Amino acid sequence: MRSYIIHIDGDAFFASVETAKRPWLKGKPVVVGGDRGIASALSYEAKAKGVTRGMPVFQIRKICPDVIVLPSDYDLYALYSKRIMHIVRRYARIVEAYSIDECFADLTEPLDTSLSREDIVRKIAKDVEEELSLTVSIGLADTKVLAKVASKRNKPRGVTILEEGDREEFLKTTKIGSVWMIGSKTAAKLSGLGIFNAWDFSVQPLHWVRAHGNRPMEEIWRELRGESVYKVKEEAKEDQQSISRTQTFRPNSNDPRKLLSELSKNLENACIKARALDILPTRVSFFLKTESFAYRGTEFELEHPTNLPHQIMSRIEALFWTLFDKRILFRTTGVRLSGMMPSAQIQEDLFGSGVIRTQEKSIFECIDAINWKYGRHTISLLSSLSVYKHEENNQFLYDMKRLQLVYLGQVS
DNA sequence: TCTGGGGTCCTAGGACCC
DNA sequence: TCTGGGGTCCTAGGACCC
């Protein structure tokens, strides 16, 4: 049976959400990313003036003096993202949130059979625009790979319906490197074999594909030929495989206390996420990146899975010294939690150390609630403290004053 | 392009075992 | 013991995505 898959892609998503929230910005060049000093997203108006992603703000102002620069507000974008998915669910049984600004939906068996699939696609676009003041581009095709390429074709605000008869022309005008999951390495390899567009690739015989590629390449090949291999799937929260938090700081440092508090902060943030998802890691890895971009990392197993940072931090501290070298300057640290288990699966023994962990869990439930209400890092681990002290825009001390926190001693 | 941050999955090759 | 073959498990690293 033929399958019908749509890919929905938000147009200039972050900038558009900002504009939806502040309608007076409509039609103006908007750049998001002021908090980091470089553009992480931009409106079409800004793009038209020559602004590119990654461009420093001072340079943007030079070429585009009337630019509006805004800090990124991830929580807001996540909210709009959910609203879009919510609209899509009116029409499709299965919706896969692929990233914050993209989703797939399976329209093989639509909820409303009185509408054609093309009508549904246009209705989704219309609903989003009317209800959220955002525009999306949508591709409808037989497979995820084709739908994804199709949604890119007529951006912004474009609907692209790919029928079997259009496929050849469509794939001939699709560069091989712009096919989903064919990156620069594979594209270079394929060009070396005389393959320059998606059509060239899709018409190779199976034995050729097997001779020159691995399994993923064969799957992409099938998808381009209209054979659906990748299914649209709802992602459950607890399916998340890993959580990582990394951060580059300036200037580079060889101060072990600085590096340890950076690690501690990253660990805390990763644990906050793990608690929000209610999952527990069984493995932890962390790394230091040197100024010359070399990684030094290590990994360890947790005897008791936990998402409470202080239980993990002591292990990191102990292993830290095997990676650290005071003759080397470091630029980035990162922490990754993996081997996830749903917390419901872990049964604490209710005697001995299990009791302590259960008590600590409730302490962190309070901390999460306070941080949710008053902002990130209103309460944080002492081991992370020096990071916040050193941050220029000192949000931490600001919150300290505002909340008048009293130091009650260390909870060990 | 002097290089941010958060993910997933695959594979080659070593360690270990029979 | 220097010698074959086969299997599993694990890890590091690569490739890809947004």
Side-chain angles (χ1 to χ4, degrees), chain A residues 235-393:
Chain A
E235 284 290 324
K237 291 254 184 194
E238 57 274 16
D239 285 351
Q240 183 149 352
Q241 304 296 309
S242 72
I243 296 168
S244 66
R245 288 294 181 271
T246 71
Q247 198 146 38
T248 300
F249 42 84
R250 302 187 94 151
N252 296 340
S253 173
N254 64 349
D255 176 357
R257 283 180 315 157
K258 163 74 178 169
L259 296 170
L260 275 167
S261 57
E262 286 287 339
L263 284 167
S264 176
K265 180 183 69 173
N266 286 327
L267 173 64
E268 267 196 273
N269 289 335
C271 284
I272 287 168
K273 175 78 174 182
R275 293 198 296 274
L277 298 175
D278 210 19
I279 52 180
L280 303 171
T282 59
R283 302 188 66 78
V284 177
S285 62
F286 67 99
F287 70 84
L288 306 175
K289 186 155 61 164
T290 70
E291 60 177 346
S292 49
F293 289 83
Y295 284 85
R296 303 182 156 214
T298 187
E299 193 172 13
F300 59 89
E301 201 115 3
L302 295 169
E303 53 273 36
H304 300 288
T306 177
N307 51 23
L308 307 183
H310 63 294
Q311 293 177 355
I312 301 173
M313 194 57 209
S314 53
R315 299 282 305 277
I316 290 182
E317 268 187 82
L319 286 165
F320 169 80
W321 301 100
T322 65
L323 307 177
F324 176 70
D325 182 339
K326 65 178 181 305
R327 294 165 302 179
I328 295 172
L329 287 171
F330 296 93
R331 68 182 337 259
T332 308
T333 74
V335 173
R336 193 168 91 104
L337 310 178
S338 60
M340 297 300 186
M341 313 184 62
S343 77
Q345 231 180 68
I346 309 286
Q347 264 129 37
E348 285 292 359
D349 62 302
L350 290 175
F351 302 94
S353 58
V355 176
I356 293 169
R357 279 194 297 279
T358 306
Q359 289 169 348
E360 288 176 346
K361 197 177 156 208
S362 52
I363 292 172
F364 273 91
E365 277 164 12
C366 292
I367 292 178
D368 288 341
I370 291 171
N371 285 339
W372 176 252
K373 188 162 178 187
Y374 295 101
R376 275 173 211 276
H377 309 306
T378 299
I379 297 185
S380 77
L381 282 191
L382 203 56
S383 54
S384 307
L385 184 58
S386 74
V387 168
Y388 301 110
K389 266 190 190 154
H390 287 113
E391 263 169 25
E392 250 174 275
N393 192 355

Side-chain angles (χ1 to χ4, degrees), chain A residues 32-316:
Chain A
V32 174
D35 45 333
R36 285 199 297 125
I38 57 163
S40 62
L42 26 131
S43 68
Y44 286 94
E45 290 80 4
K47 213 174 283 179
K49 299 219 172 175
V51 180
T52 57
R53 277 191 54 176
M55 190 180 275
V57 170
F58 73 89
Q59 201 179 333
I60 294 172
R61 289 196 197 283
K62 237 183 275 174
I63 64 169
C64 183
D66 58 334
V67 70
I68 317 275
V69 178
L70 300 167
S72 47
D73 183 350
Y74 222 77
D75 293 341
L76 182 70
Y77 312 145
L79 180 65
Y80 273 80
S81 177
K82 282 202 188 101
R83 289 179 177 166
I84 293 176
M85 316 286 166
H86 194 250
I87 288 173
V88 178
R89 276 180 214 287
R90 292 174 194 162
Y91 304 95
R93 279 171 226 281
I94 312 171
V95 178
E96 175 180 341
Y98 177 67
S99 75
I100 195 154
D101 66 336
E102 290 176 39
C103 66
F104 290 98
D106 193 330
L107 286 186
T108 307
E109 292 171 353
L111 285 169
D112 185 345
T113 49
S114 72
L115 295 170
S116 74
R117 295 186 177 86
E118 181 169 349
D119 288 343
I120 293 173
V121 168
R122 296 196 187 279
K123 230 167 158 329
I124 290 173
K126 183 161 166 272
D127 287 2
V128 170
E129 203 163 335
E130 285 177 0
E131 295 172 34
L132 305 178
S133 303
L134 287 174
T135 67
V136 291
S137 295
I138 306 181
L140 167 64
D142 297 49
T143 71
K144 285 172 91 172
V145 169
L146 288 172
K148 183 114 158 74
V149 184
S151 71
K152 267 196 287 191
R153 184 54 63 103
N154 293 306
K155 252 180 164 317
R157 216 168 166 269
V159 166
T160 306
I161 315 282
L162 191 60
E163 298 293 351
E164 178 54 33
D166 314 330
R167 204 166 56 83
E168 177 169 351
E169 183 52 32
F170 184 79
L171 292 185
K172 279 183 173 166
T173 50
T174 300
K175 276 183 283 182
I176 190 66
S178 59
V179 173
W180 185 37
M181 290 186 297
I182 294 188
S184 59
K185 304 279 179 186
T186 308
K189 181 177 163 182
L190 289 172
S191 318
L193 292 164
I195 306 288
F196 300 101
N197 63 53
W199 178 255
D200 295 342
F201 178 55
S202 74
V203 294
Q204 295 302 316
L206 179 58
H207 63 83
W208 184 95
V209 176
R210 289 195 172 150
H212 293 104
N214 48 16
R215 208 181 72 189
M217 197 192 271
E218 182 180 326
E219 290 169 351
I220 296 162
W221 175 81
R222 289 183 189 280
E223 287 255 322
L224 285 173
R225 294 164 70 94
E227 179 187 336
S228 176
V229 179
Y230 301 127
K231 301 300 168 197
V232 178
K233 56 180 192 301
E234 306 263 350
E235 284 290 324
K237 291 254 184 194
E238 57 274 16
D239 285 351
Q240 183 149 352
Q241 304 296 309
S242 72
I243 296 168
S244 66
R245 288 294 181 271
T246 71
Q247 198 146 38
T248 300
F249 42 84
R250 302 187 94 151
N252 296 340
S253 173
N254 64 349
D255 176 357
R257 283 180 315 157
K258 163 74 178 169
L259 296 170
L260 275 167
S261 57
E262 286 287 339
L263 284 167
S264 176
K265 180 183 69 173
N266 286 327
L267 173 64
E268 267 196 273
N269 289 335
C271 284
I272 287 168
K273 175 78 174 182
R275 293 198 296 274
L277 298 175
D278 210 19
I279 52 180
L280 303 171
T282 59
R283 302 188 66 78
V284 177
S285 62
F286 67 99
F287 70 84
L288 306 175
K289 186 155 61 164
T290 70
E291 60 177 346
S292 49
F293 289 83
Y295 284 85
R296 303 182 156 214
T298 187
E299 193 172 13
F300 59 89
E301 201 115 3
L302 295 169
E303 53 273 36
H304 300 288
T306 177
N307 51 23
L308 307 183
H310 63 294
Q311 293 177 355
I312 301 173
M313 194 57 209
S314 53
R315 299 282 305 277
I316 290 182

Side-chain angles (χ1 to χ4, degrees), chain A residues 5-26:
Chain A
I5 293 173
I6 56 174
H7 179 252
I8 298 144
D9 197 332
D11 298 324
F13 188 65
F14 292 2
S16 302
V17 170
E18 296 291 352
T19 308
K21 198 180 135 199
R22 307 178 181 80
W24 59 91
L25 295 180
K26 208 175 163 92

